[in-house]
Amino acid sequence: MTIDIKLHKTDLPDDLQLGNVIAVDGEFMGLNVRRDPLCLIQISSGNSDAHIIQLDRDSYNAPNLVKILSDPAISKIFHFGRADISYIKHYLKTDTNNIFDTKIASKLARSYSDNHSLKTLIKEFINIDVSKQFQNSDFGGELTPAQLKYCANDVIYLHKIHDELVKILKRENRIELYKDCLKFLKTRVDLDLALFKDDIWSH
Ligand code: MN
């Protein structure tokens, strides 16, 4: 499969039409939202394209991107959106509306497995082995072609994976449970940002 990778500085171009269901991922300098800046947002329309936005880390001024993320008419598929949406809220100062999540869907659909990594889902549903070699790499500077390809891989398969997981969820009568979990995701992000990291339901 040929992937059409486009690198954009600071924001998406004006009037780019990406459709009503997009896949979204982000890359950060680390896993502490206050310490580690958001560097990149990747978006795919599901047609083997990847738009990689290299954010301006002084201003985080990206109005076209923010408009799409906040638009309730555009669905966004994440894999573990809990992290990405926290960084988006902290750095881009916007809620992300209308969310799907392949990791949550996988945990509910694939109770036959305890591995819900994106790499595992790509292998199971697309039958491709992707390298996660660049998962822990420096996304803060100039990006190498290998890093760009890694970033693209994180979004180009999410539409297909989500479709397949939804089929299982419907078959197993777990689709309403999935939808209810998605409703809580915004609150889970707000709890994270308020430093309530633990499961507040546990005894
Ligand atoms: Mn990623």
Side-chain angles (χ1 to χ4, degrees), residues 20-25 69 71-82 84-85 96-106 158-163 165-166 169-170 175 178-183 185-186:
N20 292 328
V21 185
I22 59 173
V24 184
D25 183 45
L69 292 171
D71 188 344
I74 300 174
S75 302
K76 292 102 199 171
I77 310 169
F78 288 85
H79 183 76
F80 199 62
R82 177 177 171 182
D84 302 294
I85 294 163
T96 305
N97 293 307
N98 196 345
I99 299 155
F100 296 131
D101 192 308
T102 50
K103 189 155 193 151
I104 303 300
S106 176
L158 291 183
H159 288 74
K160 165 83 172 153
I161 290 167
H162 192 259
D163 285 349
L165 289 168
V166 165
L169 289 167
K170 285 181 175 164
I175 192 76
Y178 172 54
K179 287 180 185 171
D180 287 343
C181 289
L182 293 175
K183 284 181 202 159
L185 190 47
K186 179 186 184 301

Side-chain angles (χ1 to χ4, degrees), residues 24-28 40 42 79 84 118 132 134-135 139 150-155:
V24 184
D25 183 45
E27 303 300 334
F28 340 117
L40 311 175
Q42 306 99 273
H79 183 76
D84 302 294
L118 182 57
K132 287 303 246 181
F134 294 95
Q135 186 163 32
F139 288 105
Y150 166 80
C151 294
N153 274 341
D154 275 356
V155 285

Side-chain angles (χ1 to χ4, degrees), residues 36-51:
D36 304 319
L38 172 64
C39 301
L40 311 175
I41 293 287
Q42 306 99 273
I43 292 182
S44 176
S45 73
N47 299 306
S48 302
D49 59 334
H51 295 271

